[in-house]
């Protein structure tokens, strides 16, 4: 979940986009956001259900995407056919896949709050014209706060000595916890980039899980319901076009976050926890930051004792999207930290350890990081170590966006 920043900041878009260092084009570059944020057409609703878990009306709206262009589709079709043939060797090798197109699909709560956005490819098999396959682009993070959380979390983990190259190659297991699912872009990105990643995604609302798989192209993977056994989804064929290892390393859990930490999953320490859980009223539930509550105690107990890292998506205390002062704040890269954000930051610091925050470009969001490391060094030394690690993360993962720029933006250690 995010809040929109000042419109004047559009002039600065290219500071954190493809122009930097000549890197490959970022499919989720913020320069493409007009295609789904305020498109000329209203889009088409492809999913709509009423939630019983405080999210109101959950819907997915589709908007046309300009990328990838049609001249790139044949290579995609070839890869899809290869994956399908490997899973179904008895199938006709000439019954090739055909791409129908690409869309932005945006998850809404109560018709007005944009909860997440993802780029989705649709395709069909020539031998079965009525078939439809949806596949979310795994390396596309469409919203800047996701890039901020990823950059901050992985850089901190790397700075603490975690074997990121081993996790990339699969020789090192990396256990990741995601509280809040949305469209699933961040866990999918991590699963596709890190062969050693084993990811538990905890989402309290089964309607959100159904929307992500049925309408946003998230791979059909194992889904557990902590309170009442298995959770059944309409059978989806999209698992036939994914590399086999990705859905096998993703597990979706329909559960309250505190209950899951206390009773669910395998009790092996998590290396990285990502918390991004807002309800239909755009509120970060107090139980997820109450310093005297069960959640933070359980989270601290489940993080790796030597290098565990927690990353939290927060809104700035006030809506600063209007007026000239908003532009000043955003261009200056420092968002205000009032009573609410201060309380959340202090709560995570108290239970986990060292904590810092960074501001998210173009949006009124803050990424809070809390980690086990308790350095005696000054803030400048902490920042220096993060920048060194951030450069390594960017190169190792071949990121299409500048990881270090997200780390430096509005950096402030929590005292």
């Amino acid at each position: 979940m995010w809040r929109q920043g000042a419109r004047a900041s559009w002039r600065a878009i290219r500071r954190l986009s493809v122009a930097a260092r000549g890197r490959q084009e970022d499919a989720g570059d913020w320069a493409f956001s007009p295609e789904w944020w305020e498109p000329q057409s209203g889009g088409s609703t492809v999913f709509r259900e009423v939630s019983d878990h405080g999210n109101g009306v959950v819907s997915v709206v589709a908007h046309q995407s300009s990328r990838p262009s049609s001249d790139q589709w044949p290579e995609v079709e070839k890869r899809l056919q290869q994956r399908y043939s490997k899973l179904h060797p008895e199938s006709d090798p000439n019954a090739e896949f055909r791409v129908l197109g690409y869309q932005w699909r945006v998850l809404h709560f109560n018709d007005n709050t944009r909860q997440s956005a993802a780029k989705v490819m649709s395709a069909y098999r020539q031998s079965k014209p009525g078939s439809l396959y949806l596949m979310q682009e795994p390396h596309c993070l469409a919203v800047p706060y996701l890039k901020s959380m990823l950059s901050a979390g992985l850089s901190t983990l790397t700075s603490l000595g975690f074997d990121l190259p081993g996790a990339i190659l699969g020789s090192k297991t990396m256990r990741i916890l995601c509280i809040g699912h949305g469209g699933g872009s961040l866990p999918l990105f991590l699963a596709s980039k890190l062969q050693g990643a084993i990811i538990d995604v905890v989402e309290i609302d089964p309607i959100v899980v159904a929307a992500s798989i049925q309408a946003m192209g998230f791979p059909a993977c194992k889904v557990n319901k902590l309170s009442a056994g298995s959770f059944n989804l309409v059978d989806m064929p999209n698992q036939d076009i994914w590399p086999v290892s990705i859905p096998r390393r993703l597990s979706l859990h329909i559960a309250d976050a505190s209950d899951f930490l206390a009773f669910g999953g395998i009790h092996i320490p998590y290396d990285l926890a990502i918390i991004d859980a807002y309800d239909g009223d755009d509120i970060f539930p107090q139980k997820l930051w109450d310093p005297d509550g069960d959640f933070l105690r359980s989270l601290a107990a489940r993080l790796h004792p030597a290098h565990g890292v927690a990353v939290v998506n927060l809104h700035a205390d006030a809506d600063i999207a209007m007026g000239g002062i908003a532009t000043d704040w955003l261009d200056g890269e420092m968002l205000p930290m009032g009573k609410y954000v201060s309380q959340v930051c202090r709560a995570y610091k108290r239970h986990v350890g060292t904590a810092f925050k960074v501001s998210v470009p173009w949006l009124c969001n803050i990424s809070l990081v809390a980690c086990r490391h308790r350095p005696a060094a000054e803030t400048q030394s902490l920042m220096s170590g993060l920048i060194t690690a951030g450069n390594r993360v960017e190169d190792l993962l071949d990121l299409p966006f500048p990881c270090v720029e997200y780390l430096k933006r509005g950096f402030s250690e929590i005292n």
Side-chain angles (χ1 to χ4, degrees), residues 230-241:
S230 62
F231 171 71
N232 295 320
L233 279 169
V234 175
D235 184 40
M236 295 294 293
N238 66 14
Q239 64 265 31
D240 287 337
I241 57 176

Side-chain angles (χ1 to χ4, degrees), residues 242-257:
W242 283 98
V244 175
S245 68
I246 290 181
R248 285 181 179 174
R249 291 183 288 107
L250 285 164
S251 293
L252 279 163
H253 305 269
I254 299 174
D256 173 86

Side-chain angles (χ1 to χ4, degrees), residues 49-58 109 181-182 202-212 231 253-256 280:
E49 296 285 347
V50 178
S51 166
D52 293 327
H53 293 270
N55 292 324
V57 177
V58 177
F109 289 168
H181 178 56
V202 181
E203 169 58 55
I204 197 170
D205 193 344
I207 298 299
V208 172
V209 172
S212 72
F231 171 71
H253 305 269
I254 299 174
D256 173 86

Side-chain angles (χ1 to χ4, degrees), residues 102-237:
Y102 288 80
Q103 293 179 329
W104 296 106
R105 296 207 167 183
V106 184
L107 181 66
H108 291 260
F109 289 168
N110 291 322
D111 292 328
N112 49 18
T113 301
R114 298 175 187 85
Q115 204 282 338
S116 58
K119 182 174 289 187
V120 178
M121 178 209 67
S122 58
Y124 72 99
R125 291 174 58 216
Q126 284 185 304
S127 61
K128 193 176 180 182
S131 60
L132 178 65
Y133 297 82
L134 298 178
M135 183 178 186
Q136 188 174 141
E137 290 284 270
H139 298 158
C140 177
L141 297 177
V143 189
Y145 85 82
L146 296 176
K147 296 173 183 176
S148 176
M149 295 181 78
L150 178 85
S151 299
L154 291 183
S155 298
T156 304
L157 194 59
T158 302
S159 74
L160 299 178
F162 182 80
D163 181 12
L164 185 63
I168 293 172
L169 296 174
S171 60
K172 169 71 174 179
T173 298
M174 180 177 179
R175 297 197 63 85
I176 301 173
L177 171 68
C178 296
I179 303 293
H181 178 56
S185 295
L186 197 51
L188 182 55
F189 186 98
L190 290 164
S192 63
K193 285 285 190 179
L194 305 167
Q195 295 184 46
I198 305 295
I199 304 174
D200 288 317
V201 183
V202 181
E203 169 58 55
I204 197 170
D205 193 344
I207 298 299
V208 172
V209 172
S212 72
I213 295 177
Q214 294 177 9
M216 299 186 75
F218 191 82
C221 59
K222 183 179 181 182
V223 181
N224 304 303
K225 191 171 184 180
L226 188 62
S227 60
S230 62
F231 171 71
N232 295 320
L233 279 169
V234 175
D235 184 40
M236 295 294 293

